[in-house]
Amino acid sequence: DPDCTASLDCDYTRASGGSTSGLESNNRLADKIAKRNFNRTKSNQLEMQVNTRERKWKKGHAHSMLSRGPGLNLQDFVPVDVIENSETFISSPEDLIGITNAQEVLSVDYFVNEDRDASMLAVAAEDGVYEHTKYICDRLHGSRLLNIWNYAIDEKNEFIVAKYEQPDGLIEYSCSFSFYPDEAGDFVMESHWNLVDYAHNEEYYTFQVWANNVLNLETIVNGILENVKEQGEIKEYRFSEIPNLYIESITYENHTMTLEIVNHSESSVLDVQGEMLATETAEMETENWTVALTGEARQIIEIDTRGAYAIGLTFHHEEETVADGVYFADGVWGLDTNGEGTMIQNFTVSADEAMELEDGYIVGRDVHVQGEVKEYIAVYRSLNAAFQPVDLNQYSHMIFDAQGSGELEIVLVKESISEWENQPRNTITLNPTQSNFVLKLESMFEEGADIDVSDVRMLVFSLKGDNENARGFDLNIANVRFADGNEDANDLTETTLSQVIPNPVMNEAEIMFQSKEEGEYSFRLMTAAGQVITAAQATAVSGMNVHNFVNDNYATGVYYYEFRLPDGTVITDKLTIAQ
């Protein structure tokens, strides 16, 4: 491996932390993971500062989230003072308990000054080994698996070591292993590429270590092993080989999954077994197919997911004894309610119409939720499973179909904004029949704010009640996508847009819009709070139309206007009133 540990001029990156790690590679958890991230976002706790005085490791204190009975304590396995000049801080992602098979969780981060050099996650699990592996999940989260190899970290037993490039450019080295006590009270140590190779046991202790270089990785792993030996004898080591053909990275956009394959075995045929969920609420389907390979060391293949929500893929070939596996999940549709006075009778996610957009971003799949609401219900959609930001700056409009009643608030959740109330948003009025809504992204930002959608993590659609009486609701959201519109007011034929001339408005203005059909349309002008201050109806022609707007001594400020067109399309945008 091209690690420069022995060199004097190494230029290392930092290491990522333990507070966001530890999630299982299992589709049944996707909605819980998304709910976890949604709650962290609302409470401004998505990013945790670890190296604080309160989180400093103190020997003898109970540092782990413990929900088991008497037994081995994870804190006894944590090596401290093993990296020169380092300090150890608690970074345990305590919200893993209850959404995984973890019974006890403990993670620590090792800092040298302000730089995090390594992290360790320890998990005690029952009914088998802890189901999350960095080998699977880091690639799901956008990392590149740069290299894997067997390495005798303890100078005797060959552990599996992996080298990753994280999405933010961090280079990390990782090693994972587990042990369980046998009937005699001795320990059996295991390290495998695939979870299926672990023995079935009721009690497992799993350790995942990642560091900014191999020396730090080796130091921490050996420190853990020494602490394990203080608790009992390691009677047996069961370690696996590594795959010679593996997936380096996975990318996904508009129903296409692109896989970069490293093929050290020079195989020409790849057998792929896939387990697929068409949507979040669908039943699992199994599919097998064969992919022809060139035999070259590196190759890119594409798989049409047909808009599937989640796919588990296992890759076999004739030269291989260890198969690689990857798990892909799209961003998830989830549901949040305040609980009191709210009842959900139906929540269903269905396949979309596989929209074909040459220049656009398809969010994917449609959602239907029905019940009663008193305070609010929120339907959210993470743009990817890893909750990583997506750059949407090349698009100017958010377009979707919706049906229901009442006011629907749409929020773009940006990574760079920590306060929930400051996230960009807009509100529309739903129709009882399915209508097409076109929101200019600019209209979701405060006047004068920087229009930046380069780091959108999640979309949230909130339906609010009156906080007094529960009312029935039936909400459909479909065909959500982002597209670039033509900003030329003289050419509004390619997409449904509108434009105010002039804007800001002093006395009068022309609002130009396109209608697909001839018929009656309605116009409303609303304050930022949603209060309607004027409304009108007129007849539209098929094609471009002009709506004449008169400033009737309205107060200076930003207003929102809404067109409801004959075909059910709703156009929402904003204008500014000036004196």
Side-chain angles (χ1 to χ4, degrees), residues 252 254-257 276-278 303-309 311 328:
Y252 175 82
N254 290 0
H255 301 174
T256 299
M257 181 163 55
M276 308 176 71
L277 284 172
I303 295 177
D304 182 4
T305 69
R306 303 191 299 276
Y309 158 61
I311 304 176
F328 160 79

Side-chain angles (χ1 to χ4, degrees), residues 184-322:
D186 297 320
F187 298 140
V188 177
M189 184 75 65
E190 296 191 66
S191 178
H192 304 295
W193 186 255
N194 293 305
L195 287 172
V196 69
D197 294 325
Y198 283 88
H200 177 73
N201 194 280
E202 293 184 356
E203 188 175 31
Y204 255 106
Y205 298 85
T206 297
F207 298 87
Q208 299 177 4
V209 183
W210 55 101
N212 63 341
N213 61 52
V214 172
L215 178 60
N216 286 336
L217 181 74
E218 183 177 351
T219 299
I220 295 175
V221 170
N222 279 317
I224 296 172
L225 294 176
E226 290 301 316
N227 291 337
V228 172
K229 292 174 183 177
E230 290 183 3
Q231 303 294 323
E233 179 184 356
I234 302 178
K235 183 178 179 180
E236 184 179 358
Y237 291 84
R238 299 174 181 172
F239 286 6
S240 292
E241 297 295 322
I242 58 174
N244 289 317
L245 184 151
Y246 61 88
I247 307 304
E248 180 177 293
S249 68
I250 311 170
T251 56
Y252 175 82
E253 186 173 353
N254 290 0
H255 301 174
T256 299
M257 181 163 55
T258 302
L259 306 174
E260 295 188 51
I261 296 178
V262 175
N263 183 6
H264 291 313
S265 59
E266 300 181 353
S267 297
S268 59
V269 176
L270 186 64
D271 293 321
V272 183
Q273 178 179 341
E275 293 185 332
M276 308 176 71
L277 284 172
T279 74
E280 290 85 328
T281 56
E283 296 294 328
M284 183 72 73
E285 300 176 8
T286 301
E287 185 173 344
N288 297 278
W289 63 92
T290 300
V291 177
L293 300 177
T294 63
E296 297 176 301
R298 308 181 72 85
Q299 184 177 346
I300 295 178
I301 66 172
E302 292 184 346
I303 295 177
D304 182 4
T305 69
R306 303 191 299 276
Y309 158 61
I311 304 176
L313 298 175
T314 304
F315 301 89
H316 304 268
H317 62 92
E318 67 276 7
E319 305 294 334
E320 191 62 272
T321 58
V322 179

Side-chain angles (χ1 to χ4, degrees), residues 349-366:
V349 183
S350 57
D352 59 27
E353 300 175 357
M355 296 171 293
E356 298 293 336
L357 290 181
E358 294 183 2
D359 297 307
Y361 182 93
I362 300 174
V363 173
R365 299 181 306 287
D366 305 335

Side-chain angles (χ1 to χ4, degrees), residues 76-122:
D76 294 333
F77 301 110
V78 176
V80 295
D81 302 325
V82 290
I83 297 178
E84 187 176 358
N85 299 322
S86 70
E87 293 183 293
T88 309
F89 298 88
I90 306 300
S91 59
S92 301
E94 297 173 352
D95 49 5
L96 291 183
I97 293 179
I99 69 169
T100 71
N101 69 333
Q103 299 298 308
E104 185 182 357
V105 175
L106 172 63
S107 69
V108 297
D109 292 358
Y110 298 86
F111 280 81
V112 177
N113 298 320
E114 295 298 316
D115 293 331
R116 183 191 288 110
D117 281 8
S119 295
M120 185 210 78
L121 173 68

Side-chain angles (χ1 to χ4, degrees), residues 14 64 81 95 111 141 266 313 361-362 378-379 481 497 521 560:
R14 304 177 313 280
S64 59
D81 302 325
D95 49 5
F111 280 81
H141 292 175
E266 300 181 353
L313 298 175
Y361 182 93
I362 300 174
V379 179
R481 69 267 195 200
L497 298 173
Y521 73 89
Y560 293 86

Side-chain angles (χ1 to χ4, degrees), residues 2-67:
D3 176 36
C4 60
T5 300
S7 173
L8 297 178
D9 59 351
C10 281
D11 184 17
Y12 296 126
T13 67
R14 304 177 313 280
S16 58
S19 65
T20 58
S21 63
L23 296 176
E24 297 180 35
S25 310
N26 195 317
N27 63 68
R28 67 178 173 83
L29 279 183
D31 58 335
K32 297 180 181 179
I33 294 169
K35 184 65 172 292
R36 174 204 199 202
N37 287 326
F38 180 67
N39 289 334
R40 284 186 172 194
T41 300
K42 288 198 301 182
S43 58
N44 303 326
Q45 294 178 349
L46 198 58
E47 303 296 338
M48 176 193 298
Q49 183 178 356
V50 173
N51 54 335
T52 64
R53 179 183 301 178
E54 295 75 19
R55 290 187 168 273
K56 186 75 164 56
W57 176 271
K58 298 179 180 65
K59 190 176 178 66
H61 286 207
H63 294 291
S64 59
M65 281 293 295
L66 183 63
S67 60

